[in-house]
Amino acid sequence: MNLMETIRVSMNSLTTNKMRSFLTILGIIIGVAAVIAIMAIGNGSKASIKEEIDKLGNNVLMVAPAMPMTEEEVIVSNLASFTWADIEALEQKKSIDALMPNITSNSKATWGRYNYNATIVGTSASFYKVKKVSFAEGRTFTNDEMDKRMNVAVLESQAVQRLFGGDTQNVLGRTFQVKQIPFKVIGVLDTQPVTNLSYGSDDQIYIPATTMMNRLGEKNIVTLDVSAKSPALMDQAHSDILESLRVTHQLKPSEPDQFQVTSLSEAVGAAFGVDKIMSNLLGGVAAISLVVGGIGIMNIMMVSVIERTREIGIRKAIGAKPRDIMIQFLSEAVIFGLMGGILGVVTGIAASKIIEATSHMAIQFTVSPIIYSFLSSAGTGILFGVYPAYKAASLKPIDALRYE
């Protein structure tokens, strides 16, 4: 029997009982579809994060107090905080372009009958450079306003909407209140693109850090975002930050750093690591589905051997060799796997598109997971079809013909 005839006979056998065949390959379909969907979501997530890093800037460093690593350190730890002297010293470094100290407070902002619970951020005049945003109207704080602790504010676009209701024209110069303290609007930021790595939710209010400390009573500079002059100077900026902070905090050479410096790339690298672990775990679950599908193929092929015992006896009686019988049953198992692979690929792509449309998650397909999943399904058919094919090929003609 030639190859085409073998395939034709195998397909005829599989289509005799369509429902049984479909249920047999269901595990393969689920496994392949899961692998493709998981990889598409993972690749899309990585591409989305990379795009967001490019938007936010690949020259931004985040500085925070060093967290204690051991139980003993937790007991004796007293987390350092930034001072204004730290900011002034860092501004002198040639590798640093801009600084954004962060002093945050959640307070009610009020204008007439309108109010909302705003995130007030005390920061520096150059904060917008670190955030990579521009002004739709107005300007940032001046050094004089910083020094004199003046009550001036820059609003994000959504803050304008929430604070002034429908009256969003000519907001510059208006005065609103935070904790019954009046603040004058001197600038409005452009609408920011929505990203997973964005600072806040586009409805924050920025005031001078000096005003935040002295008027609103918030003293702690929680974190510090630093923009290096170029990506090439990231390492230099990293060293300059730690060196400057050691000097301003008067640390001895034997004492550890009180602050830790992290780049967006490092933070995202850690996120990628977690994402890879989760993808591997979910991929393992999908692999289990392939094994379950393979067991289903083996089971149905064993049933097929029993049902077609007399057919096998007749074929052997008229000259079919054990190799021919084995190839026929093995080809049926492989076709089971391939059919499951094809339907799994289609299902995986369709499921990914549905997820993308309903959850707005980024999806990115690559060829390799589709090829690997398809080959795995074929391999599953071969692996779990060998034993039933061997059992069929090893039947003795006389015993097979006597089978009732």
Side-chain angles (χ1 to χ4, degrees):
M1 185 181 293
N2 59 37
L3 178 61
M4 293 304 298
E5 182 65 15
T6 300
I7 294 174
R8 188 190 66 79
V9 172
S10 300
M11 289 298 296
N12 183 63
S13 173
L14 297 178
T15 54
T16 300
N17 193 327
K18 296 182 179 64
M19 181 55 70
R20 187 174 74 177
S21 297
F22 174 74
L23 294 175
T24 300
I25 64 175
L26 186 58
I28 302 290
I29 295 173
I30 294 172
V32 171
V35 169
I36 291 174
I38 290 167
M39 294 303 295
I41 293 171
N43 291 334
S45 176
K46 291 177 182 178
S48 177
I49 292 174
K50 185 179 183 302
E51 182 181 352
E52 290 170 5
I53 291 176
D54 293 338
K55 289 178 181 177
L56 292 175
N58 54 1
N59 63 331
V60 176
L61 294 165
M62 296 167 288
V63 191
M67 300 299 294
M69 301 300 292
T70 65
E71 186 176 346
E72 291 77 10
E73 289 177 346
V74 171
I75 295 173
V76 301
S77 68
N78 182 18
L79 291 181
S81 59
F82 296 101
T83 65
W84 202 249
D86 296 334
I87 310 299
E88 292 175 340
L90 288 171
E91 287 177 336
Q92 305 305 313
K93 297 296 181 180
K94 294 182 179 180
S95 62
I96 294 174
D97 179 48
L99 293 150
M100 181 182 175
N102 293 286
I103 313 173
T104 59
S105 172
N106 292 317
S107 303
K108 182 175 288 187
T110 304
W111 182 76
R113 62 188 179 87
Y114 296 103
N115 66 80
Y116 83 104
N117 290 321
T119 300
I120 313 297
V121 181
T123 188
S124 64
S126 58
F127 76 94
Y128 67 96
K129 294 182 181 179
V130 181
K131 286 173 61 67
K132 301 291 189 295
V133 291
S134 58
F135 282 83
E137 297 181 78
R139 57 174 177 83
T140 188
F141 328 123
T142 64
N143 291 330
D144 187 56
E145 288 168 336
M146 294 285 294
D147 294 338
K148 292 181 178 179
R149 307 179 182 91
M150 295 185 68
N151 298 356
V152 291
V154 174
L155 277 59
E156 290 187 329
S157 56
Q158 288 301 313
V160 174
Q161 297 287 337
R162 300 187 66 179
L163 181 58
F164 299 115
D167 188 6
T168 58
Q169 299 297 317
N170 303 316
V171 299
L172 295 183
R174 289 183 185 176
T175 300
F176 65 94
Q177 291 187 334
V178 176
K179 295 183 177 179
Q180 298 183 338
I181 299 172
F183 283 86
K184 179 182 178 181
V185 179
I186 61 170
V188 176
L189 297 178
D190 268 334
T191 302
Q192 298 183 65
V194 178
T195 69
N196 294 330
L197 301 176
S198 296
Y199 298 85
S201 56
D202 206 19
D203 64 355
Q204 297 181 348
I205 296 174
Y206 300 91
I207 65 175
T210 50
T211 304
M212 186 80 158
M213 291 176 169
N214 290 274
R215 308 279 192 204
L216 298 184
E218 300 290 342
K219 303 294 185 181
N220 293 327
I221 302 177
V222 182
T223 59
L224 185 65
D225 295 329
V226 181
S227 176
K229 287 191 173 177
S230 71
L233 291 174
M234 286 282 282
D235 290 339
Q236 182 61 49
H238 186 287
S239 300
D240 287 344
I241 291 168
L242 290 178
E243 179 184 340
S244 178
L245 291 173
R246 290 188 67 86
V247 171
T248 53
H249 286 258
Q250 300 179 349
L251 296 179
K252 298 177 182 178
S254 59
E255 292 181 303
D257 292 327
Q258 292 183 336
F259 300 92
Q260 57 188 9
V261 182
T262 309
S263 68
L264 280 175
S265 299
E266 290 173 346
V268 170
F272 280 176
V274 174
D275 182 70
K276 184 177 181 180
I277 292 172
M278 291 303 298
S279 295
N280 289 339
L281 288 174
L282 293 173
V285 174
I288 293 173
S289 295
L290 286 176
V291 173
V292 172
I295 294 172
I297 290 175
M298 179 183 285
N299 179 63
I300 203 64
M301 291 306 299
M302 291 297 294
V303 172
S304 181
V305 169
I306 294 172
E307 290 178 345
R308 296 158 62 188
T309 298
R310 286 182 61 81
E311 174 192 330
I312 294 169
I314 294 171
R315 290 191 61 197
K316 283 196 169 187
I318 60 176
K321 298 178 181 180
R323 182 185 65 185
D324 297 326
I325 302 298
M326 188 165 186
I327 289 174
Q328 179 185 343
F329 279 85
L330 191 58
S331 66
E332 291 180 16
V334 172
I335 290 173
F336 265 129
L338 291 175
M339 288 174 62
I342 293 171
L343 292 175
V345 169
V346 173
T347 303
I349 293 174
S352 300
K353 291 294 186 181
I354 292 172
I355 292 172
E356 183 178 30
T358 56
S359 65
H360 304 291
M361 295 178 63
I363 300 295
Q364 186 177 84
F365 293 103
T366 55
V367 176
S368 54
I370 295 176
I371 294 176
Y372 291 150
S373 299
F374 188 73
L375 293 178
S376 295
S377 64
T380 300
I382 295 173
L383 179 64
F384 288 91
V386 167
Y387 181 70
Y390 170 76
K391 290 286 290 183
S394 62
L395 288 174
K396 295 180 180 180
I398 190 167
D399 293 335
L401 289 170
R402 286 176 178 174
Y403 183 81
E404 295 293 338

